[in-house]
Coordinates of all heavy atoms in Angstrom, one line a residue:
M1 N 67.7 1.4 -21.8 CA 67.1 2.3 -20.9 C 65.9 1.7 -20.2 O 65.0 1.1 -20.9 CB 66.6 3.6 -21.6 CG 67.8 4.4 -22.1 SD 67.2 6.0 -22.7 CE 66.3 5.6 -24.2
K2 N 65.8 1.8 -18.9 CA 64.7 1.1 -18.2 C 63.9 2.2 -17.5 O 64.3 3.3 -17.4 CB 65.2 0.1 -17.3 CG 66.2 0.5 -16.3 CD 66.7 -0.6 -15.5 CE 67.6 -0.1 -14.4 NZ 68.0 -1.2 -13.5
T3 N 62.7 1.7 -17.1 CA 61.8 2.6 -16.4 C 62.4 3.1 -15.1 O 63.1 2.4 -14.3 CB 60.5 1.8 -16.0 OG1 59.9 1.4 -17.3 CG2 59.5 2.7 -15.2
T4 N 62.3 4.4 -14.8 CA 62.8 5.0 -13.6 C 61.7 5.5 -12.8 O 60.6 5.8 -13.3 CB 63.8 6.2 -14.0 OG1 63.1 7.1 -14.9 CG2 65.1 5.6 -14.6
E5 N 61.9 5.6 -11.5 CA 60.9 6.1 -10.5 C 61.4 7.2 -9.7 O 62.6 7.3 -9.4 CB 60.5 4.9 -9.6 CG 59.8 3.8 -10.4 CD 59.2 2.7 -9.4 OE1 59.7 2.6 -8.2 OE2 58.3 2.0 -9.9
Y6 N 60.4 8.1 -9.3 CA 60.7 9.3 -8.5 C 59.6 9.4 -7.5 O 58.4 9.3 -7.8 CB 60.7 10.5 -9.5 CG 61.5 10.3 -10.7 CD1 61.1 9.7 -11.8 CD2 62.9 10.8 -10.7 CE1 61.9 9.5 -12.9 CE2 63.7 10.7 -11.8 CZ 63.2 10.0 -12.9 OH 64.0 9.8 -14.0
R7 N 60.0 9.5 -6.2 CA 59.0 9.5 -5.2 C 58.9 10.8 -4.4 O 59.9 11.5 -4.2 CB 59.4 8.4 -4.1 CG 59.4 7.0 -4.6 CD 60.1 6.1 -3.6 NE 59.4 6.1 -2.3 CZ 58.4 5.3 -2.0 NH1 58.1 4.3 -2.8 NH2 57.8 5.3 -0.8
N8 N 57.7 11.1 -4.0 CA 57.5 12.1 -2.9 C 56.8 11.5 -1.8 O 56.7 10.2 -1.8 CB 56.9 13.4 -3.5 CG 55.4 13.2 -3.9 OD1 54.8 12.3 -3.5 ND2 54.9 14.1 -4.7
N9 N 56.3 12.2 -0.9 CA 55.6 11.6 0.3 C 54.3 10.9 -0.1 O 53.9 10.0 0.7 CB 55.4 12.6 1.4 CG 56.6 13.0 2.1 OD1 57.6 12.3 2.0 ND2 56.6 14.2 2.6
E10 N 53.7 11.2 -1.2 CA 52.4 10.7 -1.5 C 52.3 9.8 -2.7 O 51.4 8.9 -2.7 CB 51.4 11.9 -1.8 CG 51.3 12.8 -0.6 CD 50.7 14.2 -1.0 OE1 51.3 15.0 -1.6 OE2 49.5 14.4 -0.6
I11 N 53.2 10.0 -3.7 CA 53.1 9.2 -4.9 C 54.5 8.8 -5.3 O 55.5 9.4 -5.0 CB 52.4 9.9 -6.1 CG1 53.1 11.2 -6.4 CG2 50.9 10.1 -5.8 CD1 52.7 11.8 -7.7
T12 N 54.5 7.7 -6.2 CA 55.7 7.4 -6.9 C 55.4 7.6 -8.4 O 54.3 7.1 -8.9 CB 56.1 5.9 -6.7 OG1 56.5 5.7 -5.4 CG2 57.3 5.5 -7.6
I13 N 56.2 8.3 -9.1 CA 56.0 8.6 -10.5 C 57.0 7.6 -11.2 O 58.1 7.5 -10.8 CB 56.5 10.0 -10.8 CG1 55.7 11.1 -10.1 CG2 56.4 10.3 -12.4 CD1 56.3 12.4 -10.0
S14 N 56.4 7.0 -12.3 CA 57.3 6.2 -13.1 C 57.4 6.7 -14.5 O 56.4 7.3 -15.0 CB 56.9 4.7 -13.1 OG 55.7 4.6 -13.8
Y15 N 58.6 6.6 -15.1 CA 58.8 7.1 -16.5 C 59.4 6.0 -17.3 O 60.5 5.4 -17.0 CB 59.7 8.3 -16.4 CG 60.2 8.7 -17.8 CD1 59.3 9.2 -18.7 CD2 61.5 8.6 -18.2 CE1 59.7 9.6 -20.0 CE2 61.9 9.0 -19.4 CZ 61.0 9.5 -20.3 OH 61.4 9.8 -21.6
C16 N 58.7 5.6 -18.4 CA 59.3 4.6 -19.3 C 59.8 5.3 -20.6 O 59.0 5.7 -21.4 CB 58.1 3.6 -19.7 SG 58.7 2.4 -20.9
P17 N 61.1 5.4 -20.8 CA 61.6 6.1 -21.9 C 61.2 5.5 -23.3 O 61.2 6.2 -24.3 CB 63.1 6.1 -21.7 CG 63.4 5.0 -20.7 CD 62.1 4.9 -19.9
F18 N 61.0 4.2 -23.3 CA 60.6 3.5 -24.6 C 59.3 4.0 -25.1 O 59.0 4.1 -26.3 CB 60.6 2.0 -24.5 CG 62.0 1.4 -24.3 CD1 62.3 0.8 -23.1 CD2 62.9 1.5 -25.3 CE1 63.6 0.3 -23.0 CE2 64.2 1.0 -25.2 CZ 64.5 0.4 -24.0
K19 N 58.4 4.4 -24.2 CA 57.1 4.8 -24.6 C 57.0 6.3 -24.9 O 56.1 6.8 -25.6 CB 56.1 4.5 -23.5 CG 55.8 3.1 -23.3 CD 54.7 2.9 -22.2 CE 54.4 1.4 -22.0 NZ 53.4 1.3 -20.9
C20 N 57.9 7.1 -24.4 CA 57.9 8.5 -24.5 C 58.0 9.0 -26.0 O 58.8 8.5 -26.7 CB 59.0 9.2 -23.7 SG 59.1 11.0 -23.8
K21 N 57.1 9.8 -26.4 CA 57.0 10.4 -27.8 C 57.7 11.7 -27.9 O 57.6 12.4 -28.9 CB 55.6 10.4 -28.3 CG 54.9 9.1 -28.3 CD 53.6 9.2 -29.1 CE 52.9 7.8 -29.1 NZ 53.7 6.7 -29.4
Q22 N 58.4 12.1 -26.8 CA 59.1 13.4 -26.8 C 58.2 14.6 -27.2 O 58.6 15.5 -27.9 CB 60.3 13.4 -27.7 CG 61.3 12.2 -27.4 CD 61.9 12.3 -26.1 OE1 62.1 13.4 -25.5 NE2 62.3 11.2 -25.5
S23 N 56.9 14.5 -26.8 CA 56.0 15.5 -27.2 C 56.2 16.8 -26.4 O 55.8 17.9 -26.8 CB 54.6 15.1 -26.9 OG 54.4 14.8 -25.5
N24 N 56.9 16.7 -25.3 CA 57.2 17.8 -24.4 C 56.0 18.5 -23.8 O 56.0 19.6 -23.3 CB 58.1 18.9 -25.1 CG 59.5 18.4 -25.4 OD1 60.0 17.6 -24.6 ND2 60.0 18.8 -26.5
V25 N 54.9 17.7 -23.8 CA 53.7 18.3 -23.1 C 54.0 18.5 -21.6 O 53.7 19.5 -21.1 CB 52.5 17.3 -23.3 CG1 51.3 17.7 -22.4 CG2 52.1 17.2 -24.7
C26 N 54.7 17.5 -21.0 CA 55.0 17.6 -19.6 C 55.9 18.8 -19.3 O 55.7 19.6 -18.3 CB 55.5 16.3 -19.1 SG 57.0 15.7 -19.9
T27 N 57.0 18.9 -20.1 CA 58.0 20.0 -19.8 C 57.4 21.4 -20.1 O 57.8 22.3 -19.4 CB 59.2 19.7 -20.6 OG1 58.9 19.6 -22.0 CG2 59.9 18.4 -20.1
K28 N 56.5 21.5 -21.0 CA 56.0 22.8 -21.3 C 54.9 23.2 -20.3 O 54.8 24.4 -19.9 CB 55.3 22.8 -22.7 CG 56.3 22.8 -23.9 CD 55.5 22.7 -25.2 CE 56.5 22.5 -26.3 NZ 55.8 22.0 -27.5
E29 N 54.1 22.2 -19.8 CA 53.0 22.6 -19.0 C 53.3 22.6 -17.5 O 52.6 23.2 -16.7 CB 51.8 21.7 -19.3 CG 51.3 21.9 -20.7 CD 50.1 21.1 -21.0 OE1 49.6 20.4 -20.1 OE2 49.6 21.2 -22.2
L30 N 54.3 21.8 -17.1 CA 54.7 21.7 -15.6 C 56.2 21.7 -15.5 O 56.8 20.7 -15.0 CB 54.0 20.5 -15.0 CG 53.9 20.6 -13.4 CD1 53.1 21.8 -12.9 CD2 53.4 19.3 -12.9
S31 N 56.8 22.8 -15.8 CA 58.3 22.8 -15.9 C 58.9 22.8 -14.5 O 60.2 22.6 -14.4 CB 58.8 24.0 -16.7 OG 58.3 25.2 -16.1
D32 N 58.2 23.0 -13.4 CA 58.7 22.9 -12.1 C 59.0 21.5 -11.7 O 59.8 21.2 -10.8 CB 57.8 23.6 -11.1 CG 57.7 25.1 -11.2 OD1 58.7 25.6 -11.8 OD2 56.8 25.7 -10.7
V33 N 58.4 20.6 -12.4 CA 58.6 19.1 -12.1 C 59.3 18.4 -13.2 O 60.2 17.7 -13.0 CB 57.2 18.5 -11.9 CG1 57.3 16.9 -11.7 CG2 56.5 19.1 -10.7
F34 N 58.9 18.7 -14.5 CA 59.5 18.0 -15.6 C 60.5 19.0 -16.4 O 60.0 20.0 -17.0 CB 58.4 17.5 -16.6 CG 57.4 16.6 -15.9 CD1 56.2 17.1 -15.5 CD2 57.7 15.3 -15.7 CE1 55.3 16.3 -14.8 CE2 56.8 14.5 -15.0 CZ 55.6 15.0 -14.6
Q35 N 61.8 18.7 -16.3 CA 62.8 19.7 -16.8 C 63.8 18.9 -17.7 O 64.5 18.0 -17.2 CB 63.5 20.3 -15.6 CG 62.6 21.0 -14.6 CD 63.3 21.5 -13.4 OE1 64.5 21.1 -13.1 NE2 62.7 22.4 -12.6
N36 N 63.8 19.4 -18.9 CA 64.7 18.7 -19.9 C 66.2 18.9 -19.6 O 67.0 18.0 -19.8 CB 64.5 19.4 -21.3 CG 63.3 18.8 -22.0 OD1 62.9 17.7 -21.8 ND2 62.7 19.6 -22.9
S37 N 66.5 20.0 -19.0 CA 68.0 20.3 -18.8 C 68.6 19.9 -17.5 O 69.7 20.3 -17.2 CB 68.2 21.8 -19.1 OG 67.4 22.5 -18.2
V38 N 67.8 19.2 -16.7 CA 68.3 18.9 -15.3 C 68.3 17.4 -15.1 O 67.4 16.7 -15.6 CB 67.3 19.5 -14.3 CG1 67.8 19.2 -12.9 CG2 67.3 21.0 -14.5
I39 N 69.2 16.9 -14.4 CA 69.3 15.5 -14.0 C 69.2 15.3 -12.5 O 70.0 16.0 -11.8 CB 70.6 14.8 -14.5 CG1 70.6 14.8 -16.1 CG2 70.7 13.3 -14.0 CD1 71.9 14.3 -16.6
P40 N 68.3 14.6 -11.9 CA 67.2 13.8 -12.6 C 66.2 14.8 -13.2 O 66.0 15.9 -12.6 CB 66.6 12.9 -11.6 CG 66.9 13.7 -10.3 CD 68.2 14.4 -10.5
W41 N 65.5 14.4 -14.3 CA 64.7 15.4 -15.0 C 63.3 15.5 -14.4 O 62.6 16.5 -14.7 CB 64.6 15.0 -16.5 CG 63.6 13.9 -16.8 CD1 63.9 12.5 -16.6 CD2 62.4 14.0 -17.4 NE1 62.8 11.8 -17.0 CE2 61.8 12.7 -17.5 CE3 61.6 15.1 -17.9 CZ2 60.6 12.4 -18.1 CZ3 60.3 14.8 -18.4 CH2 59.8 13.5 -18.5
I42 N 62.9 14.6 -13.5 CA 61.7 14.8 -12.8 C 61.9 15.1 -11.3 O 62.6 14.4 -10.6 CB 60.8 13.5 -12.9 CG1 60.4 13.2 -14.3 CG2 59.6 13.6 -12.0 CD1 59.7 11.9 -14.5
D43 N 61.4 16.2 -10.9 CA 61.4 16.6 -9.4 C 60.1 16.3 -8.8 O 59.2 17.1 -9.0 CB 61.8 18.1 -9.3 CG 61.8 18.5 -7.9 OD1 61.6 17.7 -7.0 OD2 62.1 19.7 -7.6
P44 N 59.9 15.2 -8.1 CA 58.6 14.9 -7.6 C 58.1 15.8 -6.5 O 56.9 15.7 -6.0 CB 58.8 13.5 -7.0 CG 60.2 13.4 -6.7 CD 60.9 14.3 -7.7
N45 N 59.0 16.7 -6.0 CA 58.6 17.7 -5.0 C 58.5 19.1 -5.6 O 58.4 20.1 -4.9 CB 59.6 17.7 -3.9 CG 59.5 16.4 -3.1 OD1 58.5 16.0 -2.6 ND2 60.6 15.7 -3.2
G46 N 58.5 19.2 -6.9 CA 58.5 20.5 -7.6 C 57.1 21.3 -7.6 O 57.1 22.5 -7.9
S47 N 56.1 20.5 -7.4 CA 54.7 21.1 -7.4 C 53.8 20.2 -6.5 O 54.2 19.1 -6.2 CB 54.1 21.1 -8.8 OG 54.6 22.1 -9.6
P48 N 52.7 20.8 -6.1 CA 51.8 19.9 -5.3 C 51.4 18.6 -6.1 O 51.3 18.6 -7.3 CB 50.5 20.8 -5.2 CG 51.0 22.2 -5.4 CD 52.1 22.1 -6.4
T49 N 51.3 17.6 -5.3 CA 51.1 16.2 -5.9 C 49.9 16.2 -6.8 O 49.9 15.6 -7.9 CB 50.8 15.2 -4.7 OG1 52.1 15.1 -4.0 CG2 50.5 13.8 -5.3
E50 N 48.8 16.9 -6.5 CA 47.6 16.8 -7.4 C 47.9 17.5 -8.7 O 47.3 17.0 -9.7 CB 46.4 17.4 -6.7 CG 45.9 16.6 -5.5 CD 45.7 15.1 -5.7 OE1 45.1 14.8 -6.8 OE2 46.1 14.3 -4.9
S51 N 48.7 18.5 -8.7 CA 49.1 19.1 -10.0 C 49.9 18.1 -10.8 O 49.8 18.0 -12.1 CB 49.9 20.4 -9.8 OG 49.2 21.3 -9.1
I52 N 50.8 17.4 -10.2 CA 51.6 16.4 -10.9 C 50.8 15.3 -11.5 O 50.9 14.9 -12.6 CB 52.7 15.8 -9.9 CG1 53.6 16.9 -9.4 CG2 53.4 14.7 -10.6 CD1 54.6 16.4 -8.3
I53 N 49.8 14.8 -10.7 CA 48.9 13.8 -11.2 C 48.1 14.3 -12.4 O 48.0 13.5 -13.4 CB 48.0 13.3 -10.0 CG1 48.7 12.6 -9.0 CG2 46.8 12.5 -10.6 CD1 48.0 12.3 -7.7
K54 N 47.6 15.5 -12.3 CA 46.9 16.0 -13.4 C 47.7 16.1 -14.7 O 47.2 15.8 -15.8 CB 46.4 17.5 -13.0 CG 45.4 18.1 -14.0 CD 45.0 19.5 -13.4 CE 44.2 20.2 -14.4 NZ 43.9 21.6 -13.9
Q55 N 49.0 16.4 -14.5 CA 49.9 16.5 -15.7 C 50.2 15.1 -16.2 O 50.2 14.9 -17.4 CB 51.2 17.2 -15.3 CG 52.0 17.6 -16.5 CD 51.3 18.5 -17.4 OE1 50.8 19.6 -17.0 NE2 51.2 18.2 -18.7
I56 N 50.4 14.2 -15.3 CA 50.7 12.8 -15.8 C 49.6 12.3 -16.6 O 49.8 11.6 -17.6 CB 51.0 11.9 -14.5 CG1 52.4 12.3 -13.9 CG2 51.0 10.4 -14.9 CD1 52.7 11.6 -12.6
K57 N 48.4 12.6 -16.2 CA 47.2 12.1 -17.0 C 47.1 12.7 -18.4 O 46.4 12.1 -19.2 CB 45.9 12.4 -16.2 CG 45.8 11.5 -14.9 CD 44.5 11.9 -14.2 CE 44.3 10.9 -13.0 NZ 43.1 11.2 -12.2
K58 N 47.8 13.7 -18.6 CA 47.9 14.3 -20.0 C 48.9 13.7 -20.9 O 49.0 14.0 -22.0 CB 48.1 15.8 -19.9 CG 47.0 16.6 -19.3 CD 47.4 18.1 -19.3 CE 46.3 19.0 -18.7 NZ 46.8 20.4 -18.7
C59 N 49.8 12.9 -20.3 CA 50.9 12.3 -21.1 C 50.3 11.5 -22.3 O 49.5 10.5 -22.0 CB 51.8 11.4 -20.2 SG 53.0 10.6 -21.2
P60 N 50.6 11.8 -23.5 CA 49.9 11.2 -24.6 C 50.4 9.7 -24.9 O 49.7 9.0 -25.6 CB 50.2 12.1 -25.8 CG 51.5 12.7 -25.4 CD 51.4 12.9 -23.9
S61 N 51.5 9.4 -24.4 CA 52.1 8.1 -24.7 C 51.9 7.0 -23.6 O 52.1 5.8 -23.9 CB 53.6 8.2 -25.0 OG 54.2 8.5 -23.8
G62 N 51.6 7.4 -22.4 CA 51.6 6.5 -21.3 C 52.9 6.3 -20.7 O 53.1 5.4 -19.9
A63 N 53.9 7.1 -21.1 CA 55.2 6.9 -20.5 C 55.3 7.3 -19.1 O 56.1 6.7 -18.3 CB 56.2 7.8 -21.3
L64 N 54.5 8.2 -18.7 CA 54.4 8.6 -17.3 C 53.2 7.9 -16.6 O 52.1 7.9 -17.2 CB 54.2 10.2 -17.2 CG 55.4 11.0 -17.6 CD1 54.9 12.5 -17.6 CD2 56.5 10.8 -16.7
K65 N 53.5 7.4 -15.4 CA 52.4 6.8 -14.6 C 52.7 7.3 -13.2 O 53.7 7.8 -12.9 CB 52.4 5.3 -14.7 CG 52.1 4.7 -16.1 CD 52.2 3.2 -16.0 CE 52.0 2.7 -17.4 NZ 52.1 1.2 -17.4
F66 N 51.7 7.1 -12.4 CA 51.9 7.4 -11.0 C 51.2 6.3 -10.1 O 50.2 5.6 -10.6 CB 51.3 8.8 -10.6 CG 49.8 8.8 -10.6 CD1 49.1 8.6 -9.4 CD2 49.1 9.1 -11.7 CE1 47.7 8.7 -9.4 CE2 47.8 9.2 -11.8 CZ 47.0 9.0 -10.6
K67 N 51.7 6.2 -8.9 CA 51.1 5.2 -8.0 C 50.9 6.0 -6.7 O 51.9 6.5 -6.1 CB 52.0 4.0 -7.8 CG 51.5 3.0 -6.8 CD 52.4 1.8 -6.8 CE 53.8 2.1 -6.5 NZ 54.6 0.9 -6.4
R68 N 49.7 6.1 -6.2 CA 49.6 6.6 -4.8 C 50.1 5.5 -3.9 O 49.9 4.3 -4.1 CB 48.1 6.9 -4.5 CG 47.6 8.1 -5.3 CD 46.2 8.4 -4.8 NE 45.5 9.4 -5.7 CZ 45.6 10.7 -5.6 NH1 46.3 11.2 -4.6 NH2 44.9 11.5 -6.4
H69 N 50.8 5.9 -2.9 CA 51.4 4.9 -2.1 C 50.4 4.0 -1.4 O 49.3 4.5 -1.0 CB 52.3 5.6 -1.0 CG 53.5 6.3 -1.6 ND1 54.2 7.2 -1.0 CD2 54.0 6.2 -2.9 CE1 55.2 7.6 -1.8 NE2 55.1 7.0 -3.0
N70 N 50.6 2.7 -1.5 CA 49.7 1.7 -1.0 C 48.5 1.5 -1.9 O 47.6 0.8 -1.6 CB 49.1 2.0 0.4 CG 50.3 2.1 1.4 OD1 51.2 1.4 1.3 ND2 50.2 3.1 2.3
K71 N 48.6 2.0 -3.2 CA 47.5 1.7 -4.2 C 48.2 1.2 -5.4 O 49.4 1.3 -5.6 CB 46.7 2.9 -4.4 CG 45.8 3.3 -3.2 CD 44.8 4.3 -3.6 CE 43.9 4.7 -2.4 NZ 42.9 5.7 -2.7
E72 N 47.3 0.7 -6.4 CA 47.8 0.2 -7.7 C 48.3 1.4 -8.6 O 47.9 2.5 -8.4 CB 46.7 -0.5 -8.4 CG 46.3 -1.8 -7.7 CD 47.4 -2.8 -7.5 OE1 48.1 -3.0 -8.5 OE2 47.6 -3.4 -6.4
M73 N 49.2 1.0 -9.5 CA 49.7 2.0 -10.5 C 48.5 2.5 -11.3 O 47.6 1.7 -11.7 CB 50.7 1.3 -11.4 CG 51.5 2.3 -12.2 SD 52.6 3.4 -11.3 CE 54.1 2.4 -11.3
A74 N 48.5 3.8 -11.6 CA 47.3 4.3 -12.3 C 47.9 5.2 -13.4 O 49.0 5.7 -13.4 CB 46.4 5.1 -11.4
Y75 N 47.0 5.4 -14.5 CA 47.4 6.3 -15.6 C 46.8 7.7 -15.3 O 45.8 7.9 -14.6 CB 46.8 5.8 -16.9 CG 47.5 4.6 -17.3 CD1 46.9 3.4 -17.0 CD2 48.7 4.6 -18.1 CE1 47.5 2.2 -17.5 CE2 49.2 3.5 -18.5 CZ 48.7 2.3 -18.2 OH 49.3 1.1 -18.6
Ligands
SF4_1 S1 54.2 14.2 -21.9 FE1 54.7 12.0 -21.9 S2 55.2 11.6 -24.0 FE2 55.4 13.8 -23.8 S3 57.5 14.2 -23.2 FE3 56.4 14.0 -21.3 S4 56.7 11.8 -20.8 FE4 57.2 12.0 -23.0

């Protein structure tokens, strides 16, 4: 399994399955974007970008990252 990416107009979200601790913090707190039962499981247009960024910063494992377009990848 390799890192996958999901883009909206402002950011690219990356997800590394090897790092994920399956804590479900993301799916519980922002289910409009992070959905266990849907493929692809991340909808980068499911909520405003700043809400997505706020949620990514709560990921306890670092499996989720984001990159504002034209900037470096950030946690
Ligand atoms: S918050 Fe991070 S560690 Fe938890 S399920 Fe989501 S991606 Fe995995």
Side-chain angles (χ1 to χ4, degrees):
M1 289 191 291
K2 52 184 187 175
T3 299
T4 50
E5 293 189 340
Y6 308 83
R7 296 171 59 94
N8 66 20
N9 287 337
E10 297 165 289
I11 60 170
T12 295
I13 301 164
S14 71
Y15 170 66
C16 177
F18 289 116
K19 290 184 180 177
C20 179
K21 298 193 181 314
Q22 305 296 331
S23 64
N24 292 326
V25 171
C26 56
T27 54
K28 286 179 188 163
E29 295 186 0
L30 196 63
S31 60
D32 288 341
V33 174
F34 303 99
Q35 304 174 346
N36 278 334
S37 57
V38 178
I39 297 174
W41 78 284
I42 295 177
D43 177 1
N45 295 299
S47 283
T49 294
E50 293 308 315
S51 297
I52 297 172
I53 289 172
K54 189 174 170 186
Q55 191 63 51
I56 288 172
K57 288 180 175 178
K58 292 183 183 178
C59 174
S61 69
L64 291 172
K65 296 180 184 177
F66 71 94
K67 176 174 61 178
R68 290 188 192 271
H69 295 163
N70 302 321
K71 292 191 178 179
E72 295 297 316
M73 191 68 89
Y75 291 95

